[in-house]
Amino acid sequence: MSPTSKIRRYRDEDGREWVQITFKRYDQEEESILLPRQRAMNPNELKNALLDRGATQDEANLDFARSDAELPPNVGVLASRTGWHRRSFLVSANRCIGNDDVLLNPALTVGSVLDIPSIAGTLEGWHRHVAKPALRSDYTAFAILHALAAPLFQFSRSRLREGALFHLWASGSTGKTTALKVGASVVGSQKHLPDWDASPRGLQELAATRNGLQLVLDDTEKIEDRARWKVLGSVVHQLTGGKGKTYSQAVRDRLPNVKFDGWSLSTGPISIEAEFSLGRKVRTDGDRARTIDIRVPGKAEGGIWSAAGYSGKKVRAKASECLSNSAEKYHGTALVEWVTYLVENQDTLETLVTRLIDKFVDHVSREQGGVQRRIAQKFGLLLAAARLAIKAGILPWTQRECDRLLLRIYRLAQEGAEDHETTEQDPAAAIWQVAKDEGVFPRFKKGDDIEIAKTCPGFIAGASDKRRLHMSTDALAELFPNTLARTLDELRSLKITLKGDGGKRTRQIRVCVAGRQKKVRFLVFNLKALKSAAGL
């Protein structure tokens, strides 16, 4: 190996020059080191850096200045993110589709602890065992379209101002995580599904290593800060805004500046709107255009399988298990074929994507502007992904199936806001409407041991003349995601909700959850007063 063949030049997005030097260790294994070119030009610094990594003395005595002068003029891209660079697409640190020399900055180590894009099975197997069964649920199919739309974001900039986080929310086990796993199967394995339990910098680096790819974040409940709205507000704004925190030049070798196209799919027990309401904060229209809440039907309604016609909980649970297992067995092939198609056809993509976004917007919100139009444009990108992926043979669905699916999900988000306004006008009636279902809110007599499932939203208990409705705050937030705090104040003034412990809104109730005795906090309602206020 000649000295020059061991060295490759790169330039990062800030214009800094770097070199990658490949050398042999004492054990004869090859290794590479990435250094700023200025450091490599210093013989002592270069020698020490190579020795520290296990290079032999001969290798460490590299005459870099001489070798550098003999290098060809080609300079590669040192990327701070995956995705599009020049005319190629960087899928991961180890894979680039296209003819450009693109290297992911190794300082971004998130991919080493989470599943990186990978391949298992065949595209035909993914079609048969994942994509086709996923059509039985609007939510799993939506997650697939969301993943396919991510590499197209680059070509939507004439319409989309910022990225988006689509948030699937429902209390309890409704299949939300299954939907994430199915969507993630487009890119790779889902053994280590990313979640919200991370620092802001960690999430930014994760977004950089998923730039141009779907970023999934499971379960907002894993945010440790009790004021989750603060974390969600700041992090989502950064993720969808496309730029992380800027660090000083002195630490940039260890903490490189990161940029990304935030195209995320999230889950949680309540909507982002409700999280802000719990914090007594009001979101702006800009916030709503960036974070799009999509309600998943409750457990009693069938969760993500509500429209599949499955006969019971066990059948639905089996469907989720089978689809999750298939997504683990067949994954990643769709992304490789999809990105290869996009690289080969990139010169036509901006025109096609723009036209399809406009087509969707004209269909659903021609007379609307502002936030509603911005949300519709993001659904339009999903339409573009669907149409092109069908044409490329990536999706085994029909155009009609995709169009109808997207319209249902889009209208669901719109209807959620409309239903919400109606619910807020008569909160007592809305609460009783859900609480009267004994399958969801079990009944207990005075003196009974209260045994409930882990996902149970509440129960009714007490003597016949003093019956009380106990409901979790999360369950109530599903009904009033925009006005939870105001609704609680109104119910308190009507003496429908009872005082909590120690000045809190909730009371600690001893219950048996999944076979274990524990104290759980519930909002407590005077059932007689609630029914009276509801006109019953």
Side-chain angles (χ1 to χ4, degrees):
M1 183 183 292
S2 67
T4 55
S5 68
K6 299 194 297 184
I7 301 171
R8 299 171 80 174
R9 286 175 174 163
Y10 291 94
R11 184 176 292 115
D12 66 20
E13 295 175 10
D14 296 322
R16 301 173 69 202
E17 293 188 346
W18 297 73
V19 290
Q20 184 187 56
I21 302 172
T22 302
F23 60 91
K24 281 193 176 181
R25 297 165 45 92
Y26 277 107
D27 56 12
Q28 297 304 302
E29 293 291 327
E30 274 198 355
E31 187 170 334
S32 295
I33 186 172
L34 184 71
L35 295 170
R37 183 171 176 272
Q38 188 174 1
R39 281 188 63 193
M41 293 294 288
N42 184 313
N44 289 331
E45 279 200 51
L46 176 60
K47 182 176 182 178
N48 290 334
L50 290 171
L51 289 173
D52 286 345
R53 296 288 287 271
T56 64
Q57 283 289 341
D58 287 344
E59 294 281 303
N61 288 324
L62 173 69
D63 185 350
F64 176 79
R66 177 180 176 182
S67 299
D68 183 62
E70 297 173 358
L71 287 173
N74 302 336
V75 179
V77 176
L78 179 62
S80 66
R81 52 184 171 171
T82 54
W84 291 97
H85 297 277
R86 296 177 180 167
R87 295 183 61 81
S88 300
F89 191 98
L90 185 64
V91 175
S92 69
N94 303 316
R95 182 159 199 159
C96 183
I97 297 176
N99 297 321
D100 298 295
D101 182 9
V102 185
L103 176 69
L104 185 66
N105 193 326
L108 300 172
T109 58
V110 173
S112 66
V113 295
L114 293 169
D115 290 328
I116 61 174
S118 58
I119 294 176
T122 63
L123 182 62
E124 291 73 20
W126 183 79
H127 282 172
R128 180 178 178 182
H129 299 288
V130 180
K132 288 182 178 179
L135 261 184
R136 296 171 192 155
S137 163
D138 283 353
Y139 302 91
T140 53
F142 174 80
I144 288 175
L145 290 182
H146 183 277
L148 293 171
L152 283 179
F153 186 88
Q154 172 78 13
F155 303 96
S156 66
R157 296 189 183 281
S158 65
R159 294 297 182 268
L160 272 59
R161 300 185 196 176
E162 69 283 304
L165 183 142
F166 294 83
H167 183 65
L168 305 178
W169 67 274
S171 179
S173 300
T174 55
K176 302 183 296 294
T177 300
T178 297
L180 289 193
K181 288 182 177 181
V182 172
S185 73
V186 171
V187 175
S189 174
Q190 315 85 44
K191 285 184 178 178
H192 304 98
L193 205 62
D195 58 42
W196 282 96
D197 183 18
S199 68
R201 172 67 187 186
L203 289 173
Q204 291 164 17
E205 290 192 3
L206 177 60
T209 60
R210 300 296 190 275
N211 178 67
L213 304 171
Q214 179 189 59
L215 171 61
V216 298
L217 292 168
D218 194 25
D219 200 355
T220 51
E221 270 198 316
K222 293 183 180 179
I223 298 174
E224 292 185 357
D225 194 323
R226 292 182 63 186
R228 290 198 292 255
W229 68 270
K230 287 185 179 179
V231 177
L232 289 166
S234 61
V235 169
V236 170
H237 203 275
Q238 287 182 337
L239 291 182
T240 56
K243 185 179 179 182
K245 184 177 180 179
T246 300
Y247 289 87
S248 71
Q249 192 77 29
V251 298
R252 249 181 238 179
D253 291 355
R254 293 179 291 107
L255 292 171
N257 293 336
V258 290
K259 299 177 182 179
F260 35 77
D261 293 332
W263 188 253
S264 312
L265 187 61
S266 167
T267 67
I270 62 176
S271 65
I272 304 297
E273 194 79 40
E275 294 286 7
F276 274 73
S277 181
L278 285 169
R280 296 178 179 268
K281 301 296 179 182
V282 178
R283 291 202 301 165
T284 65
D285 282 348
D287 293 330
R288 294 187 179 94
R290 294 169 182 268
T291 310
I292 302 168
D293 286 323
I294 300 172
R295 181 183 180 274
V296 176
K299 190 173 183 179
E301 302 169 75
I304 64 170
W305 303 109
S306 58
Y310 293 142
S311 57
K313 295 179 183 178
K314 289 185 178 180
V315 177
R316 292 193 290 268
K318 186 67 174 177
S320 290
E321 181 183 0
C322 288
L323 195 51
S324 295
N325 289 341
S326 294
E328 184 56 36
K329 191 179 295 185
Y330 303 95
H331 60 251
T333 53
L335 178 72
V336 173
E337 296 291 338
W338 176 229
V339 170
T340 300
Y341 173 83
L342 297 180
V343 169
E344 292 173 352
N345 294 276
Q346 59 186 291
D347 292 331
T348 64
L349 291 180
E350 186 172 356
T351 300
L352 288 170
V353 169
T354 301
R355 179 170 59 81
L356 288 167
I357 289 174
D358 290 345
K359 181 176 182 177
F360 187 86
V361 171
D362 287 344
H363 182 67
V364 300
S365 62
R366 179 177 295 179
E367 305 301 324
Q368 294 176 311
V371 63
Q372 295 298 334
R373 189 174 188 86
R374 286 164 67 183
I375 291 172
Q377 287 172 335
K378 288 162 186 176
F379 276 90
L381 182 59
L382 293 160
L383 175 71
R387 294 286 182 89
L388 291 171
I390 291 171
K391 181 180 179 181
I394 309 301
L395 273 181
W397 305 342
T398 67
Q399 182 175 304
R400 187 180 185 187
E401 286 170 334
C402 288
D403 290 357
R404 290 185 169 187
L405 155 70
L406 283 173
L407 283 172
R408 286 194 296 268
I409 293 290
Y410 174 77
R411 286 170 180 163
L412 182 65
Q414 301 300 308
E415 289 167 8
E418 293 169 6
D419 290 345
H420 202 58
E421 293 172 3
T422 304
T423 299
E424 290 164 2
Q425 293 170 7
D426 194 352
I431 293 169
W432 175 246
Q433 188 65 30
V434 296
K436 70 181 182 179
D437 186 345
E438 295 187 25
V440 180
F441 287 81
R443 271 57 169 169
F444 299 94
K445 296 178 182 179
K446 182 180 180 181
D448 286 350
D449 291 333
I450 299 173
E451 297 185 20
I452 59 175
K454 187 177 180 180
T455 57
C456 181
F459 57 91
I460 293 175
S464 58
D465 59 334
K466 290 186 178 181
R467 301 287 272 173
R468 301 287 186 257
L469 166 65
H470 301 73
M471 180 182 283
S472 70
T473 304
D474 284 350
L476 191 67
E478 284 192 25
L479 291 172
F480 308 100
N482 298 323
T483 59
L484 178 60
R486 190 175 75 224
T487 300
L488 283 170
D489 288 341
E490 180 184 342
L491 294 171
R492 172 72 67 82
S493 69
L494 296 172
K495 297 184 178 180
I496 294 173
T497 54
L498 305 183
K499 290 182 179 179
D501 302 326
K504 298 181 181 293
R505 295 181 183 274
T506 56
R507 293 183 180 182
Q508 278 192 335
I509 309 296
R510 185 175 293 279
V511 296
C512 182
V513 181
R516 294 180 59 189
Q517 289 286 337
K518 60 191 301 185
K519 289 183 178 180
V520 180
R521 286 199 168 272
F522 291 96
L523 296 161
V524 182
F525 299 81
N526 181 322
L527 195 58
K528 185 176 180 180
L530 177 69
K531 294 174 71 174
S532 176
L536 301 172

